[in-house]
């Protein structure tokens, strides 16, 4: 789950992380009032969407730049009126863009230096890892490509947590002066406590800045949360903005389905994330293009399978559906009956290819064969992928 910048700032402030003061606004009037309450002539208006590159983005009304400096509440109101309700297109949103429903009115600062700082979950060790660079304000992927030697990595012991010597070492490596090391170390410690306390999978501050007054501030922050831990954080779950998400993914989440929409024409329904990835790979191998990632999990119910089919057929780009089930915990006869009932319920408009393997596979295949439905069965994954690609119109 992702959250907006203004929400991220609120969370950081709870853990003592220094950020410029600011308030969210959803109307031009609220923007003007927020600017007055800040009591400064140094203001910035920032469009709030789940995408980077806002400063260089373009609105549907022709207005350029989703991050704008201004000097008065009246200017803040005018800029907000040009952003709110408009679609902002950036290099991360794609051509469709995102509608701006909220703007952040914040105090602007004079930046002397920009730094990149992030805490990630290192999958190799199962522990937090700090990734930092003196090249702030730039996408870390670009730094890794052009100047990999400028990326600092600091592993954190999962039991001991971040230690004072590590925050001081990081501060020195990132070029903070002796007078700034204490503030930088405090900020690093606050970011780590945020990461742990909220069960984050990523906290990224880009840029972390040093101002002309020597202040060390988190200027912009992005969060990713472990969805499996959200039950422990109702206050975080309440920050979810479904308007920023693919409607299909929102609908899938209501039924416990792991769904990610893609731009192909072969829909996939698979049990298990690894098997789903392999299914998409083999579709590509045989010249097809997957329309989605869909993992129904190891214990899907008939209702979940039915809802999954409804999601798949709702995509107008889908020309064929490939079901790939390996029955371990989930028995093939149970999933086969679910498939039959689901196909009847949604009046399937496209060809369906089914590959079953594992527990009670013979019984599952028999259920499908006796259903009388136009279902194409496959003996193995390669056979299934080739049949699905052919049903969707052949290799591209």
């Amino acid at each position: 789950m992702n959250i907006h910048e203004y929400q991220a700032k609120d969370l950081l402030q709870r853990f003592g992380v220094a950020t410029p003061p600011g308030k969210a606004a959803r109307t031009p009037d609220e923007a003007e009032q927020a600017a007055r309450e800040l009591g400064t002539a140094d203001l910035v208006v920032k469009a709030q969407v789940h995408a980077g590159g806002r400063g260089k983005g373009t609105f549907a009304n022709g207005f350029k730049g989703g991050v704008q400096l201004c000097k008065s509440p009246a200017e803040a109101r005018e800029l907000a009126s040009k952003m709110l309700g408009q679609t902002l297109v950036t290099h991360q949103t794609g051509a469709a863009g995102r509608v701006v429903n909220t703007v952040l009115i914040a105090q602007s600062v004079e930046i002397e230096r920009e730094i990149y700082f992030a805490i990630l979950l290192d999958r190799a060790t199962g522990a937090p890892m700090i990734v930092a660079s003196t090249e702030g304000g730039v996408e870390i992927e670009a730094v890794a490509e052009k100047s990999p030697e400028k990326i600092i990595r600091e592993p954190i012991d999962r039991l001991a947590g971040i230690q004072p010597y590590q925050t001081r070492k990081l501060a020195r490596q990132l070029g903070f002066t002796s007078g700034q090391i204490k503030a930088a170390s405090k900020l690093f410690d606050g970011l780590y406590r945020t990461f742990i306390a909220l069960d984050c999978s990523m906290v990224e501050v880009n840029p972390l800045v040093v101002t002309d007054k020597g202040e060390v501030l988190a200027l912009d922050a992005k969060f990713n949360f472990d969805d499996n831990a959200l039950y422990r954080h109702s206050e975080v779950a309440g920050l979810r903005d479904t308007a920023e998400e693919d409607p299909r993914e929102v609908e899938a989440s209501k039924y416990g389905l792991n769904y990610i929409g893609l731009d192909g024409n072969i829909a996939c329904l698979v049990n298990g994330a690894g098997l789903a990835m392999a299914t998409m790979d083999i579709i590509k191998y045989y010249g097809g293009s997957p329309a989605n990632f869909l993992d129904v999990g190891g214990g899907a119910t008939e209702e979940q399978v039915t809802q999954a089919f409804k999601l798949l057929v709702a995509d107008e780009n889908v020309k064929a559906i490939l079901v790939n089930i390996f029955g371990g915990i989930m028995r093939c006869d149970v999933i086969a009956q679910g498939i039959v009932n689901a196909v009847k319920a949604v009046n399937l408009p496209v060809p369906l290819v089914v590959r079953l393997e594992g527990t009670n596979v013979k019984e599952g295949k028999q259920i499908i064969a006796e259903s009388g439905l136009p279902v194409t069965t496959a003996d193995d994954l390669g056979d299934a992928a080739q049949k699905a690609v052919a049903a969707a119109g052949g290799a591209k």
Side-chain angles (χ1 to χ4, degrees), residues 161-181:
I162 195 168
Q163 298 297 300
Y165 81 87
Q166 291 179 296
T167 61
R168 293 193 297 270
K169 180 178 78 170
L170 284 164
R172 288 192 293 270
Q173 288 176 311
L174 291 168
F176 287 97
T177 65
S178 57
Q180 297 165 351
I181 285 179

Side-chain angles (χ1 to χ4, degrees), residues 276-288:
M277 296 296 291
T279 302
M280 293 191 295
D281 286 345
I282 201 163
I283 287 173
K284 293 290 289 185
Y285 179 79
Y286 285 111

Side-chain angles (χ1 to χ4, degrees), residues 211-275:
T211 71
D212 59 343
K213 299 176 182 178
E215 299 170 297
V216 182
L217 302 173
L219 197 61
D220 190 3
K222 293 181 182 178
F223 280 68
N224 283 340
F225 299 94
D226 182 351
D227 291 347
N228 294 317
L230 285 177
Y231 73 93
R232 290 198 288 257
H233 306 286
S234 57
E235 79 285 6
V236 172
L239 300 177
R240 183 182 183 187
D241 184 355
T242 55
E244 288 287 318
E245 301 177 30
D246 186 321
R248 298 170 298 177
E249 296 175 19
V250 174
E251 185 67 17
S253 68
K254 295 178 182 178
Y255 300 96
L257 300 170
N258 297 308
Y259 177 95
I260 299 173
L262 302 173
D263 56 5
N265 63 1
I266 300 176
C268 307
L269 189 159
V270 190
N271 67 322
L275 188 59

Side-chain angles (χ1 to χ4, degrees), residues 99-113:
V99 176
V100 177
N101 296 310
T102 306
V103 293
L104 172 65
I105 312 299
Q107 178 181 332
S108 65
V109 295
E110 288 293 330
I111 299 173
E112 187 176 272
R113 200 159 66 89

Side-chain angles (χ1 to χ4, degrees), residues 51-69:
R54 292 170 293 167
K56 297 180 180 180
T58 302
F59 290 89
N61 60 4
F63 185 63
K64 295 184 181 297
V67 178
Q68 297 282 343
L69 297 173

Side-chain angles (χ1 to χ4, degrees), residues 80-367:
S81 67
K82 293 178 180 178
M83 296 182 186
L84 289 167
Q86 297 294 323
T87 299
L88 176 63
V89 178
T90 79
H91 70 280
Q92 288 191 6
T93 65
R98 297 278 177 83
V99 176
V100 177
N101 296 310
T102 306
V103 293
L104 172 65
I105 312 299
Q107 178 181 332
S108 65
V109 295
E110 288 293 330
I111 299 173
E112 187 176 272
R113 200 159 66 89
E114 296 185 349
I115 294 150
Y116 177 93
F117 191 94
I119 306 174
L120 314 170
L121 182 61
D122 182 11
R123 301 293 179 183
T125 63
M129 170 78 75
I130 290 175
V131 178
S133 174
T134 55
E135 301 296 303
V138 179
E139 290 184 4
I140 196 65
E141 294 84 1
V143 180
E145 182 180 351
K146 298 178 181 178
S147 307
E149 73 282 358
K150 293 183 179 180
I151 295 178
I152 300 166
R153 294 176 176 84
E154 181 70 20
I156 306 299
D157 186 279
R158 73 187 82 180
L159 296 179
I162 195 168
Q163 298 297 300
Y165 81 87
Q166 291 179 296
T167 61
R168 293 193 297 270
K169 180 178 78 170
L170 284 164
R172 288 192 293 270
Q173 288 176 311
L174 291 168
F176 287 97
T177 65
S178 57
Q180 297 165 351
I181 285 179
K182 183 177 180 180
S185 296
K186 181 182 178 182
L187 191 147
F188 299 160
D189 182 73
L191 287 172
Y192 181 78
R193 287 187 290 109
T194 306
F195 178 88
I196 294 298
L198 298 179
D199 287 306
C200 301
S201 55
M202 181 191 78
V203 176
E204 179 187 68
V205 178
N206 189 24
L208 187 158
V209 302
V210 178
T211 71
D212 59 343
K213 299 176 182 178
E215 299 170 297
V216 182
L217 302 173
L219 197 61
D220 190 3
K222 293 181 182 178
F223 280 68
N224 283 340
F225 299 94
D226 182 351
D227 291 347
N228 294 317
L230 285 177
Y231 73 93
R232 290 198 288 257
H233 306 286
S234 57
E235 79 285 6
V236 172
L239 300 177
R240 183 182 183 187
D241 184 355
T242 55
E244 288 287 318
E245 301 177 30
D246 186 321
R248 298 170 298 177
E249 296 175 19
V250 174
E251 185 67 17
S253 68
K254 295 178 182 178
Y255 300 96
L257 300 170
N258 297 308
Y259 177 95
I260 299 173
L262 302 173
D263 56 5
N265 63 1
I266 300 176
C268 307
L269 189 159
V270 190
N271 67 322
L275 188 59
M277 296 296 291
T279 302
M280 293 191 295
D281 286 345
I282 201 163
I283 287 173
K284 293 290 289 185
Y285 179 79
Y286 285 111
S289 182
N292 64 274
F293 168 99
L294 175 55
D295 170 19
V296 297
T301 64
E302 184 176 316
E303 181 189 15
Q304 286 178 304
V305 174
T306 300
Q307 294 300 328
F309 268 96
K310 288 181 178 179
L311 272 173
L312 300 181
V313 300
D315 186 344
E316 295 181 354
N317 293 325
V318 168
K319 303 302 180 186
I321 297 174
L322 171 56
V323 174
N324 183 24
I325 299 295
F326 185 86
I329 297 173
M330 180 186 290
R331 290 162 30 204
C332 289
D333 56 335
V334 173
I335 196 69
Q337 190 60 58
I339 291 170
V340 168
N341 294 341
V343 170
K344 291 178 179 178
V346 301
N347 191 23
L348 200 63
V350 296
L352 171 63
V353 178
V354 176
R355 179 256 183 170
L356 297 176
E357 192 57 75
T359 307
N360 290 0
V361 64
K362 291 182 179 179
E363 293 86 343
K365 290 182 176 180
Q366 184 177 353
I367 289 171

